[in-house]
């Protein structure tokens, strides 16, 4: 069945589950939101939702160096306890996320960190590309391309490089269930040799 994007978004907000899990739940329940919530809870997928309000003040700063020292990433990933932060599973997750940043070059962690000016600039570009088409079509084209832009620019919305069928946010959700703690990416910085000469390193908001 064809799923409404807003319904998927609402289910994610209610449960904290990943996009693919929400789509699967809605497909299994014929698009019924409340039944989908129950389905996720029965599967244990929504178990991390209750941790959404907790404070993730512990964690680790990880690094990844690639291409013979020509590309490097520092990333801060937070969890709730020092015990979790020192675990092999958490440290492996931090390394995976650093590699994701190195490979996929996101601009920020989440879409809220993108400045309105950047988003508006993208909208203007897409509007110019769609010039001459009916207004309703132009709006759909722009909205579709903006969503694609978010999926490329925002770390949490990117396809996970090791498994493109799930997002980085899905990966975090799975890790939160496994480790039974709230897990969050706070910030990262990506350095590429020579880029400061013609561009700039990109960091997220603190």
């Amino acid at each position: 069945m064809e799923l409404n994007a807003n319904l998927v978004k609402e289910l994610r907000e209610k449960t904290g589950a990943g996009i693919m899990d929400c789509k699967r739940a809605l497909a299994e329940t014929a698009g019924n939101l409340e039944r989908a919530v129950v389905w996720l809870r029965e599967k244990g997928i929504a178990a991390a939702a209750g941790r959404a309000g907790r404070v993730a003040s512990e964690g680790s700063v990880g690094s990844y160096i690639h291409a013979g020292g020509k590309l490097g990433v520092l990333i801060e990933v937070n969890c709730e306890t020092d015990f979790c932060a020192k675990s092999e599973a958490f440290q492996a997750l931090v390394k995976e996320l650093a590699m994701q940043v190195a490979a996929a070059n996101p601009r920020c962690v989440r879409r809220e960190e993108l400045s309105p000016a950047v988003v508006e600039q993208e909208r203007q570009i897409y509007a110019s590309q769609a010039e001459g088409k009916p207004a309703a079509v132009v709006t759909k084209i722009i909205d579709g391309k903006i969503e694609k832009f978010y999926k490329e620019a925002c770390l949490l919305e990117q396809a996970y490089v090791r498994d493109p069928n799930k997002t980085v946010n899905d990966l975090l959700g799975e890790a939160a269930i496994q480790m039974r703690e709230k897990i969050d990416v706070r910030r990262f910085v990506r350095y590429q040799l020579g880029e400061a000469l013609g561009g700039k390193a990109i960091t997220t908001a603190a």
Side-chain angles (χ1 to χ4, degrees):
M1 63 175 290
E2 186 175 345
L3 297 174
N4 183 293
N6 290 329
L7 199 59
V8 174
K9 180 182 178 182
E10 187 175 352
L11 183 58
R12 287 189 69 196
E13 291 173 351
K14 278 179 173 289
T15 65
I19 291 177
M20 297 307 296
D21 288 323
C22 287
K23 287 182 177 179
R24 192 177 305 116
L26 288 167
E28 291 288 337
T29 58
N32 185 297
L33 185 63
E34 296 308 318
R35 285 172 54 202
V37 171
V38 173
W39 188 91
L40 287 168
R41 287 176 178 166
E42 288 176 346
K43 300 295 182 183
I45 296 171
R51 304 183 185 96
R54 295 186 186 179
V55 177
S57 57
E58 295 294 338
S60 179
V61 174
S63 63
Y64 176 69
I65 306 297
H66 184 64
K70 298 184 187 299
L71 174 64
V73 171
L74 286 174
I75 188 167
E76 179 181 347
V77 185
N78 298 134
C79 58
E80 295 177 47
T81 65
D82 185 56
F83 177 80
C84 177
K86 292 178 179 177
S87 69
E88 289 185 12
F90 185 82
Q91 290 298 320
L93 175 66
V94 173
K95 179 66 73 174
E96 283 295 306
L97 292 167
M99 291 174 64
Q100 174 78 27
V101 172
N105 194 16
R107 295 189 180 208
C108 58
V109 176
R110 49 190 61 81
R111 65 172 65 185
E112 293 80 10
E113 295 169 355
L114 286 167
S115 74
V118 168
V119 177
E120 180 57 29
Q121 183 181 52
E122 292 298 315
R123 284 188 175 277
Q124 293 298 326
I125 292 171
Y126 304 146
S128 297
Q129 293 172 347
E131 192 173 351
K133 293 182 171 57
V137 174
V138 170
T139 299
K140 287 184 178 180
I141 290 174
I142 293 174
D143 289 345
K145 288 194 173 185
I146 283 291
E147 284 301 313
K148 183 180 178 183
F149 169 70
Y150 284 140
K151 287 177 173 61
E152 294 173 350
C154 307
L155 174 63
L156 297 185
E157 299 188 40
Q158 286 184 335
Y160 177 36
V161 290
R162 292 191 188 276
D163 183 359
N165 290 319
K166 64 183 175 184
T167 66
V168 172
N169 198 52
D170 292 335
L171 177 68
L172 289 181
E174 291 171 0
I177 292 172
Q178 176 191 350
M179 300 178 203
R180 299 182 180 277
E181 293 206 11
K182 178 179 180 180
I183 296 175
D184 192 25
V185 179
R186 184 179 180 221
R187 55 186 170 177
F188 66 81
V189 61
R190 183 181 186 274
Y191 297 102
Q192 189 156 357
L193 188 67
E195 73 176 344
L197 300 176
K200 62 179 181 179
I202 298 171
T203 64
T204 69

